[in-house]
Amino acid sequence: MSSRRAFFYVQHLLGIGHLKRALTLARAMAAAGLDVTLASGGLPVAELAPEGKARGVRLVQLPPASAGDLGFKTLVDSEGRQIDAVWKRVRSDALLAAWRAADPHVLVLELFPFGRRQMRFELLPLLEAATGAARRPIAGAARRPAIACSVRDVLGAQKSEARQEETLALVERYFDRVLVHGDPRIIAFDRTFSGAERIAGRIEYTGYVVDAARRPDGNAGKGEVIVSAGGGAVGAGLLEAAMRAKPLTVLRDRQWRVLAGNNLPLGDFQKLAELAAGERGIELERSRPDFTSLLSNCALSISQAGYNTLMETVRAGARAVVVPFAGGHETEQTLRARCFAERGLLELVEESALTPATLAAAVDRAARKLPASPGDINLEGAQRSAASITRLAMGKAR
């Protein structure tokens, strides 16, 4: 075991993006020499599971919870039942037990306290235990770990003054560092969190988190149009529109590979399969382990604007059309997509305007452009975050 240990908590509720980004960070931390325990509170995602302890990441699967609605107001367990006080107690105990077993030098919480307020029932006790303020101190836990928040570039809709004040108070009480996984030249954190100036001394921009660039794996996806929707939980509308848009585009004669995602409901997948069967040149799959190779080789990418997919697309330099998810009052993907569209890196279709015709027009515009270059956008967020967390684990300043 490494002499320095990190404990990383992540909770994905709807899509799989939070877990995917956390795993990218955890692997970078392990590569930097830390012994990493990643505690995941969402539904298991087999294709994202760490490849064993050899990679230096130990996965702890907590009793899983997910969102019962697009507004994230209700949490349900793995059987779809609304969670209750007993479930919360069991889950909190499991998290504390995992933290004790890890005995970390640094604790990293993904998104909280800027989000995941639903998980306060377990995160506040964890923070209290970590800072030594618990009513029943844990034996052997006199050493206070450094504590960091890992947060993406864009938060959800602006919260009330009271909510912002609560967030700021939690940061000031518990957190040594707020690692913002973005580039302030593209989107400054105060764009979606107006209280950022008050905690400016704790904020560190890491750049965008994306897996290190790799050479394409052969010719997979060469010349194709790649249509994807992340995990697929909220992507059925985009995938159907893309299939119907194909014959309307200048790329109608290309192979269109549609990746539905493993979380797309079976009924929706079957409807897409019927649609694909009636159109030549469409290959429908759930997912592909070589997605980044497909992006590097493709003629064009069509996707939503989730953090991970967008960063992988930008790093690959692919021509791109994005349709940001905007259901349940979500604004995060739309803001990010607009900012990247302003730099000429993609074509944007607002979800409210999505039709086969509007999507086809955007595909034609993108297809006529030269492949985009990320230019000076900082895409080294995984490595820079790992270096910062390692310094925290070593008890060093920036």
Side-chain angles (χ1 to χ4, degrees):
M1 179 178 284
S2 167
S3 61
R4 295 289 160 171
R5 299 174 295 280
F7 188 87
F8 196 164
Y9 167 97
V10 60
Q11 172 69 57
H12 63 285
L13 291 174
L14 186 61
I16 61 174
H18 290 272
L19 178 59
K20 185 174 181 180
R21 184 167 57 252
L23 279 165
T24 299
L25 287 166
R27 287 167 178 151
M29 290 157 60
L34 292 174
D35 189 293
V36 184
T37 297
L38 179 66
S40 174
L43 292 170
V45 182
E47 67 269 26
L48 293 184
E51 296 88 343
K53 293 181 183 179
R55 291 287 299 270
V57 179
R58 184 178 297 99
L59 179 66
V60 173
Q61 177 61 61
L62 300 170
S66 59
D69 59 273
L70 289 180
F72 302 96
K73 296 185 182 301
T74 303
L75 296 181
V76 296
D77 65 13
S78 58
E79 303 300 322
R81 299 180 297 247
Q82 187 169 346
I83 65 173
D84 56 18
V86 173
W87 188 97
K88 289 181 178 181
R89 186 162 56 250
V90 170
R91 167 72 179 245
S92 181
D93 288 346
L95 177 59
L96 280 171
W99 175 75
R100 292 188 195 107
D103 187 25
H105 297 86
V106 60
L107 169 64
V108 184
L109 302 186
E110 200 268 343
L111 193 53
F112 189 81
F114 299 94
R116 296 293 182 262
R117 294 181 77 255
Q118 311 96 318
M119 316 313 293
R120 289 163 56 89
F121 69 88
E122 62 182 358
L123 293 179
L124 291 181
L126 175 61
L127 288 167
E128 286 289 290
T131 55
R135 293 181 182 176
R136 291 177 294 175
I138 299 168
R143 168 179 40 77
R144 177 199 185 280
I147 302 175
C149 170
S150 162
V151 63
R152 66 193 179 207
D153 57 337
V154 177
L155 300 179
Q158 286 275 5
K159 304 299 188 291
S160 67
E161 260 187 56
R163 285 274 295 276
Q164 289 218 34
E165 178 58 36
E166 179 185 42
T167 298
L168 289 165
L170 287 169
V171 170
E172 290 169 339
R173 179 172 181 179
Y174 294 114
F175 290 83
D176 301 293
R177 194 83 76 248
V178 175
L179 301 174
V180 178
H181 303 308
D183 186 330
R185 296 169 298 180
I186 313 300
I187 309 173
F189 194 51
D190 61 8
R191 181 95 176 251
T192 53
F193 186 73
S194 60
E197 183 177 357
R198 182 166 140 188
I199 54 171
R202 302 173 200 242
I203 290 176
E204 179 180 344
Y205 287 95
T206 68
Y208 287 97
V209 172
V210 59
D211 279 326
R214 296 189 296 270
R215 294 173 65 89
D217 183 15
N219 291 320
K222 192 73 172 178
E224 297 181 346
V225 175
I226 305 300
V227 184
S228 62
V234 291
L238 169 60
L239 300 176
E240 179 180 346
M243 287 185 177
R244 296 190 185 280
K246 180 180 186 293
L248 308 177
T249 73
V250 296
L251 299 178
R252 65 178 70 88
D253 295 328
R254 300 294 185 103
Q255 176 82 357
W256 286 44
R257 188 172 302 279
V258 180
L259 306 179
N262 291 317
N263 292 337
L264 183 76
L266 179 59
D268 290 332
F269 186 82
Q270 291 172 337
K271 290 178 183 177
L272 292 176
E274 293 173 5
L275 187 58
E279 177 67 42
R280 288 185 59 191
I282 293 181
E283 181 77 19
L284 176 66
E285 302 178 68
R286 278 288 187 177
S287 64
R288 290 279 295 241
D290 58 349
F291 180 63
T292 55
S293 290
L294 298 180
L295 288 177
S296 295
N297 289 329
C298 74
L300 185 138
S301 166
I302 301 172
S303 70
Q304 293 176 314
Y307 183 105
N308 300 304
T309 300
L310 190 56
M311 292 311 115
E312 289 168 342
T313 303
V314 169
R315 167 151 272 177
R319 297 178 181 90
V321 176
V322 302
V323 182
F325 171 62
H329 307 292
E330 284 290 306
T331 59
E332 172 231 333
Q333 290 195 15
T334 299
L335 173 58
R336 184 182 300 112
R338 287 174 179 171
C339 290
F340 277 78
E342 289 169 0
R343 296 177 72 94
L345 295 173
L346 53 87
E347 290 292 327
L348 169 64
V349 178
E350 304 280 359
E351 191 175 65
S352 60
L354 177 64
T355 67
T358 58
L359 187 58
V363 167
D364 288 354
R365 291 194 302 271
R368 295 186 180 106
K369 292 182 176 181
L370 293 173
S373 168
D376 61 353
I377 297 174
N378 184 349
L379 299 177
E380 303 305 315
Q383 295 73 29
R384 293 192 179 195
S385 298
S388 180
I389 292 167
T390 299
R391 288 194 295 272
L392 287 171
M394 298 291 291
K396 296 180 180 179
R398 300 187 195 192

